[in-house]
Amino acid sequence: MPKNSKVVKRELDDEVIESVKDLLSNEDSVDDAFKKSELIVDVQEEKDIDVEGESEVEDERPAWNSKLQYILAQVGFSVGLGNVWRFPYLCQKNGGGAYLLPYLILLLVIGIPLFFLELSVGQRIRRGSIGVWNYISPKLGGIGFASCVVCFFVALYYNVIIGWSLFYFSQSFQQPLPWDQCPLVKNASHTFVEPECEKSSATTYYWYREALNISSSISESGGLNWKMTICLLAAWIVVCLAMIRGIQSSGKIMYFSSLFPYVVLICFLIRALLLNGSIDGIRHMFTPKLEIMLEPKVWREAATQVFFALGLGFGGVIAFSSYNKRDNNCHFDAVLVSFINFFTSVLATLVVFAVLGFKANVINEKCITENSKMIIQFLKMGNISQDIIPHHINLSAVTAEDYHLVYDVIQKVKEEEFSALHLNSCQIEDELNKAVQGTGLAFIAFTEAMTHFPASPFWSVMFFLMLVNLGLGSMFGTIEGIITPVVDTFKVRKEILTVVCCLLAFCIGLIFVQRSGNYFVTMFDDYSATLPLLIVVILENIAVSFVYGIDKFMEDLKDMLGFAPNRYYYYTWKYISPLVLLSLLIASVVNMGLSPPGYNAWIEDKASEEFLSYPTWGLVVCILLMVLAILPVPAVFIIRHCNLIDNSSGNLASVTYKRGRVLKEPVNLEGDDASLIHGKISSEMSSPNFGKNIYRKQSGSPTLDTAPNGRYGIGYLMADMPDMPESDL
């Protein structure tokens, strides 16, 4: 080969080598650029993860310090004033010990299952009532708002009762107690007993005239009662300070407010059992009247008491359980709290009947003494012959048995003239049969009984301090039913919201501390909660059983608890509870329709109560209370159904949870899971990192996508995506 040809070949080889080098260098540069870009993405992802982790720490949901604190909170919320002054009245009215049977049956049929349902949805979704029902179905999101409205209405007047208890508590530090005797009135010539008090009793007079200074009708405002206004302000200050930091502050108070009432009840029971007549009261309570038990009214009232005793529908149960760990055994909690509530009611009933038995014995002794004097007078006047009186009976110091013997003899001998003698049989059962409930039991009957106790001021202080604590425990749950869902949904500061809520409630609550305020308490108690709460709980049951799906919910419970709940709950939630609740709703509506809307007014001249009908404006207020309480349900349904809120800004139609924090899915997502990364289309996204898979439920899909951790439905969503605002509504 010629020399020049070798040179040419070398040059060609060099060009080829240079071309290959260029190609490789270009490939390397592209690869380096790709690697650099990938490195940048990884770094950004690392930063995002770090930032997200920090935000998770900052936004971490508060939790209970211990299981005991949580149980005490639920017990404090469910065990309230109704256990002390409503349950004993129903027991006395509806057959004594026979009433316990329908109550226990209905507790097992609707009480525990519905309480378990609220505990489990709150713990699983870890949000308040608004967030929970928005998650189940956005169109049913109004259930949560309705719960908040009912809680607010109840809080308005419930704290007034705490204010009354504070007033009596402050007046108990004196001997004798101020309601021990009727006051004396002096004029220019002589001194006499206050006529209004003489016609009624010392405790009745003190309640209506000294404490409430009540007007004669709801239309007569009479101005503010300054003593009760101060007590109401003090009650709201206590609630505000206890709730201002959420469960961190209220949880510690629960140790005292939940346990102290049990100490007082046990002390009262021991003391009452040592008093004369207490056994008569307890015997009267446990004597069953089986014929009354078969009446439908008894079962309706038992179902209503079960319903309200556990605090169903208020949102407080859901709010408290939302601060639990996800794997907490809420089934055990539901059964435990329900039976603690039941046994507390029985304990309170024992105490009430033991004390009322003692009071009835005192009144019966006075009755026997007065009637014995009348018989002696009739003997002196010759109206009754001395021969018919048994010789062994001394009418000056007669026993109850001897008096009843004399009474029967006179009744037989003077058969035609007996009514003209005006003698009383003085039976202790007649006094025990006088059904007393509510404020009449706490501030009149029980208060009168305590005046006969040795060291009565001490027992009065203990009793009214117990009422304050029972009321506060329920108030904490009620306010939590407002604060938690609002904070979760609108992301406002809890401290500011708590102060604003309490201040607003105090200002509105001034209508309850007028001289006519007691009548407004009755109005709100009768109309603001009963029907709205029944509707709320029915919708809760329907939402879980039929909208979300009872089978899916049972799978969620199995995943959350680690075991499958008894199939009893499946059939109860799907069939029994809805039917029982609907029957109770219909019965309540019928009963409300048959009962004329009105209130018991205190008539000063007669010194007695008289039933009065509400004026026209009062009827309007009653209707508005029910309408406003349930209005959020249809309002939110219409807004969601008609898309009246722009979805582009995000809504609660798709709420999921990641490590206990709420996340939002964009409304219109298409493509594979990687499209969850906002602002990117599939062609612009980097290669998926298989170590960070994204799992989400496909919108509109009837089935559930299963993540590798085996969690279904109301589970946690693992997604690398920024947080978005939770709600526009």
Side-chain angles (χ1 to χ4, degrees):
M1 181 179 290
K3 182 178 180 181
N4 57 353
S5 64
K6 291 183 179 180
V7 173
V8 173
K9 183 177 183 299
R10 189 181 298 114
E11 290 175 356
L12 289 173
D13 291 340
D14 292 340
E15 288 178 3
V16 172
I17 292 171
E18 288 175 0
S19 298
V20 173
K21 286 181 179 180
D22 291 340
L23 180 60
L24 292 174
S25 65
N26 290 337
E27 187 177 25
D28 291 341
S29 65
V30 172
D31 189 57
D32 290 339
F34 175 76
K35 288 178 180 178
K36 288 179 181 179
S37 66
E38 188 179 44
L39 181 62
I40 292 171
V41 171
D42 284 342
V43 171
Q44 184 63 36
E45 285 182 357
E46 290 290 328
K47 289 180 179 178
D48 288 343
I49 293 170
D50 292 339
V51 171
E52 188 176 81
E54 292 173 3
S55 67
E56 280 185 1
V57 173
E58 294 173 357
D59 298 338
E60 186 179 359
R61 190 168 185 80
W64 298 103
N65 292 334
S66 66
K67 182 66 175 283
L68 176 61
Q69 190 181 81
Y70 164 68
I71 293 296
L72 290 177
Q74 290 286 15
V75 169
F77 175 52
S78 65
V79 175
L81 297 173
N83 295 75
V84 174
W85 67 33
R86 178 70 178 166
F87 187 90
Y89 161 75
L90 292 174
C91 193
Q92 177 186 22
K93 175 185 173 185
N94 296 317
Y99 173 75
L100 299 178
L101 182 60
Y103 184 89
L104 192 57
I105 291 173
L106 290 166
L107 180 67
L108 296 173
V109 172
I110 62 172
I112 294 177
L114 292 175
F115 193 63
F116 179 32
L117 185 144
E118 289 201 357
L119 286 180
S120 51
V121 295
Q123 179 176 309
R124 183 71 168 185
I125 303 177
R126 295 177 63 80
R127 281 295 173 270
S129 56
I130 296 176
V132 162
W133 303 114
N134 266 314
Y135 176 83
I136 298 294
S137 173
K139 291 180 181 179
L140 294 177
I143 297 174
F145 288 98
S147 293
C148 291
V149 174
V150 173
C151 280
F152 187 72
F153 283 162
V154 171
L156 288 177
Y157 74 85
Y158 204 86
N159 222 25
V160 175
I161 301 174
I162 298 177
W164 294 342
S165 303
L166 284 173
F167 173 75
Y168 269 78
F169 171 74
S170 66
Q171 298 298 308
S172 298
F173 294 91
Q174 43 189 310
Q175 176 72 26
L177 292 168
W179 49 83
D180 186 31
Q181 295 178 347
C182 286
L184 299 176
V185 180
K186 296 181 181 180
N187 59 15
S189 58
H190 62 283
T191 302
F192 57 93
V193 177
E194 171 65 48
E196 186 182 1
C197 183
E198 190 175 20
K199 292 177 184 177
S200 54
S201 68
T203 51
T204 304
Y205 172 82
Y206 190 87
W207 166 243
Y208 284 115
R209 190 56 50 211
E210 296 293 337
L212 299 181
N213 193 19
I214 199 165
S215 61
S216 297
S217 73
I218 195 172
S219 301
E220 299 176 24
S221 168
L224 290 177
N225 181 340
W226 65 269
K227 293 181 288 188
M228 289 305 171
T229 303
I230 293 174
C231 291
L232 179 63
L233 178 62
W236 275 115
I237 289 174
V238 170
V239 171
C240 184
L241 293 177
M243 297 297 300
I244 198 164
R245 292 184 58 221
I247 62 171
Q248 276 81 8
S249 54
S250 65
K252 295 179 176 62
I253 300 174
M254 292 295 178
Y255 287 108
F256 179 76
S257 65
S258 297
L259 293 176
F260 180 74
Y262 290 95
V263 175
V264 175
L265 285 174
I266 293 172
C267 291
F268 260 98
L269 181 61
I270 295 172
R271 184 69 191 91
L273 290 175
L274 299 176
L275 298 172
N276 292 331
S278 60
I279 302 301
D280 295 326
I282 294 175
R283 187 188 300 115
H284 179 80
M285 167 199 165
F286 280 109
T287 302
K289 301 172 185 175
L290 299 177
E291 66 279 2
I292 298 179
M293 190 182 71
L294 300 177
E295 297 178 6
K297 179 184 174 184
V298 174
W299 290 82
R300 178 181 62 81
E301 292 188 342
T304 305
Q305 179 63 17
V306 167
F307 184 84
F308 289 107
L310 294 174
L312 300 173
F314 281 97
V317 174
I318 294 176
F320 280 150
S321 65
S322 71
Y323 298 112
N324 267 333
K325 295 179 180 179
R326 185 174 173 272
D327 58 353
N328 174 63
N329 188 350
C330 56
H331 175 257
F332 172 79
D333 301 340
V335 176
L336 177 65
V337 173
S338 298
F339 277 102
I340 288 176
N341 187 293
F342 172 69
F343 288 117
T344 303
S345 298
V346 175
L347 174 63
T349 304
L350 282 171
V351 172
V352 167
F353 273 90
V355 173
L356 292 182
F358 164 69
K359 172 177 170 283
N361 189 70
V362 172
I363 294 174
N364 199 56
E365 287 178 356
K366 290 181 179 179
C367 176
I368 291 174
T369 302
E370 292 173 359
N371 281 268
S372 296
K373 291 179 180 178
M374 291 175 62
I375 294 174
I376 293 173
Q377 189 68 26
F378 290 142
L379 289 172
K380 290 180 179 179
M381 294 172 60
N383 294 341
I384 299 176
S385 173
Q386 182 71 45
D387 297 334
I388 66 173
I389 305 297
H391 299 291
H392 68 280
I393 294 177
N394 180 11
L395 289 173
S396 300
V398 67
T399 63
E401 292 181 2
D402 289 343
Y403 171 78
H404 292 143
L405 178 61
V406 172
Y407 179 85
D408 291 338
V409 170
I410 295 174
Q411 188 177 22
K412 290 178 181 178
V413 174
K414 298 286 185 178
E415 186 174 351
E416 296 179 357
E417 304 172 5
F418 182 77
S419 58
L421 299 178
H422 301 292
L423 292 177
N424 197 316
S425 62
C426 297
Q427 296 287 343
I428 196 170
E429 287 78 12
D430 295 337
E431 190 65 31
L432 289 171
N433 282 329
K434 294 179 181 178
V436 184
Q437 67 163 324
T439 54
L441 174 64
F443 299 108
I444 297 177
F446 214 89
T447 305
E448 181 180 348
M450 285 187 296
T451 59
H452 302 289
F453 279 25
S456 55
F458 168 77
W459 293 105
S460 183
V461 167
M462 294 284 283
F463 176 71
F464 289 110
L465 186 59
M466 178 191 73
L467 290 187
V468 169
N469 280 276
L470 283 172
L472 286 176
S474 297
M475 274 298 295
F476 293 157
T478 304
I479 297 297
E480 198 69 53
I482 303 172
I483 301 296
T484 297
V486 173
V487 169
D488 288 344
T489 304
F490 299 102
K491 304 301 181 186
V492 296
R493 287 193 61 184
K494 178 169 285 189
E495 295 84 356
I496 296 175
L497 178 62
T498 303
V499 172
V500 170
C501 180
C502 292
L503 185 61
L504 178 63
F506 169 73
C507 294
I508 299 175
L510 291 177
I511 66 172
F512 301 108
V513 289
Q514 304 174 96
R515 290 184 59 196
S516 60
N518 187 46
Y519 307 138
F520 284 97
V521 171
T522 302
M523 176 190 290
F524 271 67
D525 190 36
D526 290 341
Y527 293 98
S528 69
T530 306
L531 290 183
L533 277 181
L534 273 172
I535 295 172
V536 164
V537 175
I538 290 171
L539 291 175
E540 288 180 357
N541 198 167
I542 292 173
V544 171
S545 299
F546 301 102
V547 178
Y548 183 75
I550 189 65
D551 295 307
K552 194 188 303 181
F553 186 63
M554 295 295 285
E555 286 292 331
D556 291 336
L557 289 177
K558 181 179 179 181
D559 175 65
M560 183 170 66
L561 301 175
F563 62 89
N566 194 289
R567 294 292 290 180
Y568 166 77
Y569 292 104
Y570 177 93
Y571 295 109
T572 302
W573 287 328
K574 191 168 185 179
Y575 304 110
I576 301 175
S577 293
L579 290 175
V580 172
L581 289 173
L582 283 172
S583 302
L584 181 59
L585 177 62
I586 294 170
S588 299
V589 171
V590 171
N591 181 66
M592 189 174 290
L594 295 176
S595 304
Y599 59 100
N600 289 319
W602 178 257
I603 308 302
E604 183 176 357
D605 297 336
K606 299 179 181 178
S608 63
E609 289 185 337
E610 183 178 315
F611 184 82
L612 298 178
S613 297
Y614 286 117
T616 304
W617 64 265
L619 294 174
V620 173
V621 173
C622 293
I623 295 171
L624 280 177
L625 287 174
M626 293 186 287
V627 171
L628 289 176
I630 207 64
L631 184 62
V633 175
V636 173
F637 181 86
I638 293 171
I639 290 172
R640 301 291 196 194
H641 184 72
C642 300
N643 293 322
L644 299 181
I645 291 182
D646 184 14
N647 283 340
S648 61
S649 58
N651 60 19
L652 279 174
S654 180
V655 181
T656 45
Y657 295 87
K658 176 181 177 181
R659 301 176 197 149
R661 295 191 305 118
V662 69
L663 295 176
K664 289 296 298 290
E665 287 185 76
V667 177
N668 297 316
L669 288 176
E670 296 178 359
D672 58 8
D673 290 336
S675 63
L676 283 171
I677 302 177
H678 299 288
K680 303 239 180 183
I681 61 175
S682 56
S683 61
E684 296 174 340
M685 277 189 269
S686 59
S687 302
N689 187 336
F690 294 102
K692 297 170 184 172
N693 288 332
I694 299 167
Y695 303 93
R696 66 183 176 87
K697 178 185 172 184
Q698 299 292 338
S699 59
S701 173
T703 59
L704 290 171
D705 293 337
T706 309
N709 57 5
R711 292 173 181 152
Y712 302 83
I714 316 179
Y716 290 62
L717 179 72
M718 297 182 289
D720 294 324
M721 52 184 288
D723 289 335
M724 294 178 66
E726 187 173 349
S727 179
D728 294 323
L729 186 58

